[in-house]
Amino acid sequence: MMPLVLLPSVADKADLESLVSALKKNKDWFKQMIIKYSAVLLRGFDVQKTDYFNDVLEVFEWEDIPYVGPVPRTHVYKRVWTANEGSLSEFIYYHHEMVLIKESPMKMVLFCEVTPPEGRETPFVPSFKVTDRMLEEFPEAVEEMERRGLKYTFKALSKNDTSSMRGRGWEDAFGTSDREEAKKRANALGMDMEWLPNGG
């Protein structure tokens, strides 16, 4: 069953200080719960601001991996970024985070500061469950993918296009407007780059 839902034990323990203190005291247990349940939901705690959320993140001292991918995102505060700057009308399909590089993150931590006008859910599924199901229903396809490998591609203009969920420009993605430097940074991440006539 997932996720594991954790609530304040009593109403006066819902404040940020109590949460951070409890997480520090039970850090190893909490990490084990993430492994056991694939996801842990903290509900009913007073984590309503970005800096509060960052305080929770800092408890675990997890490595902060800079985002590389096609989605436009905005840095908000310390370790906190927006999830997507694209239109709310676009549907986000199930996906792996940062599949374009070899060292993808082991954990994702989400926080809602502004409730969206509709939808509101963030569905997710553990990849190993998808793999198990595919092995049961499509063993030949899995075997072919293992044999041939899997390659992801995306096209990016030079500048961000926030009208698209996948509109991040290569200048933003690689932190430079210099093509040669961008290519070096892409290669360092295990990515190949090909320039297009339109500058992308």
Side-chain angles (χ1 to χ4, degrees), residues 69-133:
V71 176
R73 292 181 174 175
T74 302
H75 184 238
V76 181
Y77 178 79
K78 292 189 177 180
R79 296 169 65 114
V80 183
W81 293 71
T82 59
N84 196 309
E85 296 293 335
S87 170
L88 290 175
S89 64
E90 287 195 55
F91 183 79
I92 301 176
Y93 295 91
Y94 284 118
H95 61 280
H96 286 109
E97 191 67 15
M98 292 170 59
V99 296
L100 300 171
I101 63 173
K102 292 180 179 178
E103 298 298 324
S104 56
M106 297 296 293
K107 301 170 189 70
M108 285 292 300
V109 188
L110 305 175
F111 158 70
C112 178
E113 185 174 34
V114 179
T115 305
E118 58 185 47
R120 303 182 184 184
E121 296 88 3
T122 301
F124 60 94
V125 60
S127 297
F128 71 88
K129 291 194 175 185
V130 175
T131 303
D132 289 347
R133 182 83 176 265

Side-chain angles (χ1 to χ4, degrees), residues 27-40:
K27 191 187 300 187
D28 292 337
W29 175 84
F30 191 86
K31 289 178 179 178
Q32 288 302 312
M33 293 304 99
I34 293 173
I35 294 169
K36 181 176 180 179
Y37 292 95
S38 297
V40 177

Side-chain angles (χ1 to χ4, degrees), residues 164-181:
S164 170
M165 286 286 189
R166 290 162 290 283
R168 191 180 192 196
W170 63 262
E171 292 183 16
D172 183 25
F174 299 109
T176 180
S177 59
D178 181 270
R179 286 185 171 207
E180 287 305 311
E181 183 59 28

